[in-house]
Amino acid sequence: MTAMRYIEPLYRPPSEARSLILQVTNGCSWNRCTFCEMYTQPQKKFRPKSHADIDRELAAVAASRMPVRRIFLADGDAMTLSTRRLTEIMDSINRHLPDVRRVSSYCLPRNLRNKSVDDLAHLQQLGLTLFYVGCESGDDLVLERVSKGESYDSSLAALRKIKSAGAKSSVMILNGLGGKRYSEPHARNSARLMNEAQPEYLSTLVVSFPLGTKRFLQGFDGEFEPLEPTELFIEMRWLLEELRLENTIFRSDHASNYLALKGTLGRDKESLLATVQAAIDRPGSVPLRQEWQRGL
Ligand SMILES: C[S@@+](CC[C@H](N)C(=O)[O-])C[C@H]1O[C@@H](n2cnc3c(N)ncnc32)[C@H](O)[C@@H]1O
Ligand code: SF4
């Protein structure tokens, strides 16, 4: 929409397709994960947007009378902003767009290191209630190999902080991230992390390399062998088998997945496992996305 001044490309979770995207920062302040090329173009160098510009955009949206119920704060780690800056942003949103019901953001675990539960609870009260956390794996070795800069413990600490503040988390885990060698520990440790954290939402994406694998392979010293579709399903079976979730909405239907799965865990665990097992045992019995239908 014309009121917004975006620096493209813009990324948002699939579930924010109908939200207003408010770009409060450009790029990602970490930008070192070797699988992620989303913010590597020169115009995406990390920079916060000034509050005056953000406020001006919100005023223009309000003047347009476009109905806005949900806002997604972009780009890759808007939660790197201080609690003071985020409070200013939430105050502007509430002043200009009082009908907004949910504000969400991507959130790296390290973005919360200097934020207390009280800080997050304050932001939650102002409407910032959902965080998309790219854990990617619960396996420390895999996390190290992809330069995520996070660990099982740092991810769990952040997810616990979010829960204690009364906000919700939506975790992303990357299917295939450890290649053949680390596939099983990657799946099982990711499940253990989710079991301890009990996030409200969990989604899995298949790691994909539209710009090539050169940067990614360096982290594995040449010992990365990508998973074939059947091996991705076996990894998914390990993950599902190990999961002990009480009430988590599970989605594995992002365009990067060959096999689309969705349900509520634990309730749907057995039926999801049966679908995955059928895809492993009887190729062709379960519809799969073709290579040309996949994307990021
Ligand atoms: C735009 S990023 C922002 C996430 C946020 N910075 C974080 O790390 O928590 C959103 C997610 O896209 C996914 N992603 C990034 N690169 C990917 C790739 N090459 N293949 C599949 N998924 C990818 C990761 O799960 C990542 O957490
Ligand atoms: S996955 Fe997240 S933290 Fe890593 S480079 Fe991409 S946007 Fe930044």
Side-chain angles (χ1 to χ4, degrees), residues 262-295:
K262 52 184 174 178
T264 302
L265 291 170
R267 196 187 64 198
D268 300 327
K269 178 168 169 169
E270 292 314 317
S271 67
L272 289 169
L273 270 169
T275 306
V276 174
Q277 195 61 49
I280 296 168
D281 294 341
R282 299 186 301 280
S285 68
V286 181
L288 299 183
R289 243 183 224 124
Q290 300 303 305
E291 220 40 84
W292 61 267
Q293 295 171 306
R294 296 177 61 240

Side-chain angles (χ1 to χ4, degrees), residues 79 157 232:
M79 286 300 290
L232 289 167

Side-chain angles (χ1 to χ4, degrees), residues 141-156:
L141 197 54
V142 171
L143 290 170
E144 199 182 308
R145 298 221 171 236
V146 302
S147 299
K148 184 75 198 181
E150 301 290 352
S151 64
Y152 183 102
D153 289 343
S154 69
S155 306
L156 182 58

Side-chain angles (χ1 to χ4, degrees), residues 24 45 80-81 124 171 243 295:
V24 298
K45 192 169 170 346
T80 196
L81 295 176
Q124 196 271 348
V171 172
L243 283 174

